[in-house]
Amino acid sequence: MPNAATARLAYGGDYNPEQWPEEVWHEDVALMREAGVTLVSLGIFSWARLEPREGEFDFAWLDRVIELLHAAGIGVDLATPTVVPPAWFYRAHPEALPVSREGVRWEFGSRGAICHSSPAYQRAAARITRALGERYGRHPAVEMWHVHNEYGVPVLECYCDTSAADFRRWLRDTYGTLDALNAAWGTAFWGQAYGEWSEIQPPRAAPTTTNPAQRLDFARFASDSALANFRRERDILHELSPGVPVTTNFMVSPTQCDTIDYWAWGREVDIVTNDHYLVAEDDRNHINLSMAADLTRSVGGGKPWLLLEHSTSAVNWQPRGIAKRPGEMARNSLAHVARGSEGAMFFQWRASRAGAEKFHSAMVPHAGTDSRIWREAVDLGAHLGALAGVRGTRTAADVAMVWDWQSWWAQKLEWRPSEDLDTRERAEAFYAALFDRHFTVDFAHPEADLTAHPLAVVPALYLTTARAGENLRRYVEAGGTLVVSYFSGIVDEHDAVHPGPHPGALRDVLGLTVEEFQPLRAGRTVTLDGAAGPLTGDVWAETLRPAGAETVWSYADGPAAGGPAITRHRLGDGTAWYVSCRLGADGLDAVLAAAGADAGLAPRDGLPRDLELVRRDGEGGRYLFAINHADADASFDLPAGTADGAAELLAGAPLTGGRLTVPAGAVRVVRLGG
Ligand code: GLA
């Protein structure tokens, strides 16, 4: 954990001093102290500067930067710069540039152009990592290691011949025999049987759609091959820098990276760290932020994690660089902290003058320190200082949401029953519905134990292994309440349909079968009738056959008119709901209200819609974060029995009668008493 010695929340950002003359470094460090910066990520893009020619190192400048920071009491999250091999490397090893599916070899001149299977890249990355570890591994300023940068973006998959050979090795390790591979990939279809390993290629561009099991395995292979490179660097650093945590910055938000299986990666880092950028155009983009933060915490098993990058204001890579409103940066930072982050870090410390990201906001903007952004950065440093006590506490969640990157990859492949099926969209819609009910979400792998949560939702799980199906059935039998949305439980890990009627892996738990999918024409809707009132669906409908489940809403019109639309199945001590069409926010809210009642979750009615309330509890105390995203003040009662001795930590706000008012756009954090 960074800052272990000083018990501070981490505050700072990516620091790129090599872009500036040395006199600016002194100003930087003075300003960092003014803002309360505790940690900076250093050297992420410095390979060309650290190793200007192969095997020739220049550490003198980095020595000076680290000493300056150390003397000012600022910790270093030291990077291995292996996301940007220098120009000399690519001239010597052009084969290490990645090749696209269409056979285009990407050129040097941006960043992240890496074939993860390239032995030359692996050797060079290990050499610079070892050199850094030997020089700084025991330096007292180094509080954390930052391996690489955002594995998975901008490109992960490489289709070159070296990757092809590596893919074949991965397949041999996975399947053992060609017979097993042919069976798993269903190569009897379209005459694709392989008689020799050497005949297998990556799923390169082909005349029409490629074998989906082959594509799915290639996606798994790509995530694994980058992970092998992470592990190599991590192990070198563990050897040379004992006790210092090693991380790599994730981008868990499905809006931002879709190539990495973070369930697998979360087990490999010493502390999970994440980068998150707002979807600037979205008026309620704080919901996507909360979802990313909850997912980040979950891939780390619920332990505290660290937000390693977000922005003080605009980003430069979205269609419009929309500036954050006053107070928004603090709301964003503290929402991450509420959901388990041990601090708030930014890209980047000082806005660049040159290069691709010069229009990206920073803690020190082009406008300098006489600016709103700087003043808010200083205020945020003070706020984080006041919240040191939350370190080590854990976010308390109410509901589990099942999410699986591999299922998402499989569902996104071509030739599905409707191009309107969208795993990410459903996950975001369910998450927003839970957010609006003021429930905090833990994400879970489909095979993980869900029993800590009374309610579990499955927004879209096209690929459901038999084990996952059993896991969900056991969860319900043991008393859980499950809500499953359409096109889940359909295929196994090889994208083969489970035997028998759909949804093969979930028939038992849901108490029904799907006789026929009924995707809707573009723009069409269906009406659902039920005792709790009519609902509207779109995109999808199904002809359902109950086998134990009761009908709660039925189709009033559309292709499945007269049949069940939303069902409820009592099984063992629990209940499983099934939703067979795409519901909007109102429909999801109605189903979640009913399922929440089954689960015994007390509704949090009467709270303002955009008042985000999140708890962190632990030995350090019990903390309630109240973040008001609305333009009007919001008031609420503290939880029963917590008002005595409670204190508000950011503004010293009064807790009159156990009630707290959060001004429009503000954040309050209460250490609960009682
Ligand atoms: C990513 C990268 C940073 C920077 C930011 C800009 O998170 O890690 O180097 O490019 O995006 O938003």
Side-chain angles (χ1 to χ4, degrees):
M1 198 59 60
N3 297 315
T6 48
R8 304 175 292 194
L9 287 176
Y11 183 49
D14 284 16
Y15 182 37
N16 297 303
E18 65 269 43
Q19 295 176 15
W20 299 93
E22 204 154 332
E23 57 270 20
V24 177
W25 305 354
H26 293 270
E27 184 189 318
D28 283 336
V29 170
L31 289 175
M32 285 177 191
R33 285 179 66 96
E34 185 181 330
V37 164
T38 67
L39 184 72
V40 294
S41 301
L42 193 60
I44 298 170
F45 301 107
S46 305
W47 196 340
R49 185 78 190 259
L50 290 168
E51 190 181 1
R53 276 162 297 279
E54 181 164 5
E56 226 178 82
F57 296 103
D58 172 10
F59 290 119
W61 68 276
L62 189 57
D63 290 352
R64 293 199 297 282
V65 175
I66 291 179
E67 284 315 320
L68 262 180
L69 291 163
H70 187 46
I74 296 163
V76 173
D77 167 37
L78 189 57
T80 66
T82 53
V83 70
V84 282
W88 57 255
F89 171 79
Y90 288 115
R91 297 289 68 87
H93 300 287
E95 79 287 356
L97 288 161
V99 172
S100 75
R101 212 176 159 226
E102 291 72 30
V104 175
R105 197 177 279 283
W106 304 112
E107 246 305 349
F108 176 76
S110 63
R111 72 179 194 191
I114 290 159
C115 165
H116 281 286
S117 296
S118 159
Y121 170 74
Q122 291 166 2
R123 277 194 305 273
R127 187 177 58 219
I128 183 77
T129 299
R130 186 162 283 283
L132 282 162
E134 282 169 352
R135 191 158 189 104
Y136 302 109
R138 292 170 192 272
H139 194 294
V142 176
E143 297 186 356
M144 185 163 74
W145 286 96
H146 178 301
V147 166
H148 201 87
N149 190 64
E150 294 180 344
Y151 283 99
V153 293
V155 59
L156 178 70
E157 293 181 346
C158 169
Y159 292 79
C160 75
D161 289 341
T162 306
S163 298
D166 207 16
F167 181 43
R168 289 189 282 271
R169 179 202 49 74
W170 186 93
L171 292 170
R172 270 178 191 265
D173 290 350
T174 303
Y175 292 107
T177 67
L178 269 181
D179 284 350
L181 178 139
N182 279 311
W185 284 12
T187 55
F189 188 78
W190 282 357
Q192 293 171 351
Y194 294 100
E196 301 284 343
W197 289 101
S198 59
E199 292 163 1
I200 303 173
Q201 298 296 341
R204 293 175 174 138
T208 184
T209 192
T210 311
N211 184 312
Q214 180 185 1
R215 294 205 63 178
L216 186 54
D217 271 346
F218 193 66
R220 291 175 174 133
F221 155 75
S223 180
D224 284 357
S225 58
L227 183 55
N229 286 345
F230 167 75
R231 282 203 199 104
R232 185 177 306 104
E233 294 189 33
R234 178 202 61 194
D235 293 349
I236 292 169
L237 296 170
H238 279 167
E239 174 200 328
L240 298 172
S241 192
V244 178
V246 179
T247 192
T248 182
N249 46 342
F250 292 171
M251 280 201 118
V252 303
S253 171
T255 322
Q256 273 150 25
C257 175
D258 62 356
T259 54
I260 295 286
D261 181 353
Y262 289 111
W263 288 126
W265 284 64
R267 294 190 288 270
E268 303 282 345
V269 292
D270 297 330
I271 174 174
V272 166
T273 56
N274 194 53
D275 299 348
H276 182 266
Y277 290 94
L278 291 181
V279 182
E281 300 272 350
D282 177 359
D283 282 333
R284 298 186 79 212
N285 51 27
H286 52 274
I287 301 180
N288 174 281
L289 181 157
S290 297
M291 180 169 167
D294 285 345
L295 191 49
T296 306
R297 181 183 69 253
S298 303
V299 299
K303 292 197 291 283
W305 53 281
L306 180 60
L307 175 71
L308 214 47
E309 287 182 31
H310 69 147
S311 68
T312 57
S313 190
V315 299
N316 56 287
W317 44 267
Q318 294 187 6
R320 291 167 200 84
I322 294 171
K324 290 192 179 177
R325 290 162 287 160
E328 192 171 2
M329 177 180 85
R331 290 198 296 281
N332 294 163
S333 295
L334 295 170
H336 284 291
V337 174
R339 293 172 191 275
S341 177
E342 297 284 67
M345 309 273 292
F346 292 92
F347 176 84
Q348 61 177 333
W349 164 251
R350 184 184 281 277
S352 303
R353 287 191 52 225
E357 305 221 80
K358 54 185 167 291
F359 297 119
H360 197 288
S361 58
M363 295 171 79
V364 182
H366 291 299
T369 52
D370 185 10
S371 61
R372 176 181 70 82
I373 289 181
W374 174 252
R375 284 186 287 276
E376 290 195 17
V378 173
D379 287 350
L380 179 58
H383 281 347
L384 291 170
L387 296 178
V390 307
R391 285 184 80 250
T393 58
R394 291 195 178 205
T395 301
D398 310 286
V399 179
M401 180 178 289
V402 172
W403 169 261
D404 183 25
W405 277 274
Q406 297 198 13
S407 179
W408 183 33
W409 298 342
Q411 192 269 296
K412 278 198 300 179
L413 293 170
E414 300 141 316
W415 292 9
R416 299 320 188 198
S418 167
E419 66 175 21
D420 301 326
L421 292 163
D422 186 340
T423 296
R424 189 186 95 187
E425 183 277 334
R426 275 300 78 187
E428 290 177 348
F430 269 77
Y431 187 91
L434 291 164
F435 184 96
D436 283 346
R437 298 191 74 76
H438 299 278
F439 289 134
T440 303
V441 172
D442 272 340
F443 286 84
H445 185 272
E447 295 178 10
D449 182 10
L450 303 169
T451 50
H453 300 288
L455 177 65
V457 299
V458 182
L461 196 66
Y462 162 68
L463 186 164
T464 307
T465 61
R467 264 179 76 167
E470 280 162 29
N471 182 45
L472 296 174
R473 181 173 51 72
R474 277 198 307 271
Y475 167 72
V476 173
E477 284 170 349
T481 300
L482 184 71
V483 180
V484 176
S485 183
Y486 58 91
F487 208 52
S488 297
I490 308 297
V491 297
D492 67 13
E493 54 272 46
H494 306 299
D495 198 43
V497 171
H498 285 290
H502 302 306
L506 299 173
R507 280 191 305 258
D508 295 349
V509 64
L510 297 175
L512 53 77
T513 61
V514 176
E515 185 183 329
E516 203 170 357
F517 298 143
Q518 301 283 4
L520 304 183
R521 289 181 166 76
R524 298 284 169 86
T525 58
V526 281
T527 308
L528 280 54
D529 276 343
L535 301 177
T536 303
D538 64 2
V539 165
W540 188 259
E542 287 172 350
T543 305
L544 293 182
R545 293 249 193 117
E550 56 175 308
T551 300
V552 185
W553 273 273
S554 52
Y555 287 109
D557 55 23
I566 298 175
T567 61
R568 178 175 180 268
H569 184 217
R570 296 283 313 170
L571 181 70
D573 294 332
T575 308
W577 288 78
Y578 184 61
V579 178
S580 68
C581 64
R582 192 175 82 152
L583 295 176
D586 291 350
L588 286 178
D589 188 64
V591 172
L592 290 171
D598 280 341
L601 271 179
R604 305 206 172 127
D605 297 334
L607 289 170
R609 181 168 180 248
D610 276 315
L611 178 66
E612 182 176 350
L613 292 176
V614 184
R615 285 273 292 271
R616 277 184 76 157
D617 297 340
E619 281 176 15
R622 296 178 302 150
Y623 297 85
L624 179 64
F625 287 71
I627 304 163
N628 185 0
H629 297 281
D631 294 331
D633 295 358
S635 299
F636 68 100
D637 291 324
L638 293 186
T642 60
D644 277 356
E648 201 286 316
L649 303 177
L650 299 185
L655 301 166
T656 322
R659 201 165 167 80
L660 176 66
T661 297
V662 188
V667 184
R668 297 287 179 258
V669 181
V670 180
R671 198 181 56 239
L672 300 172

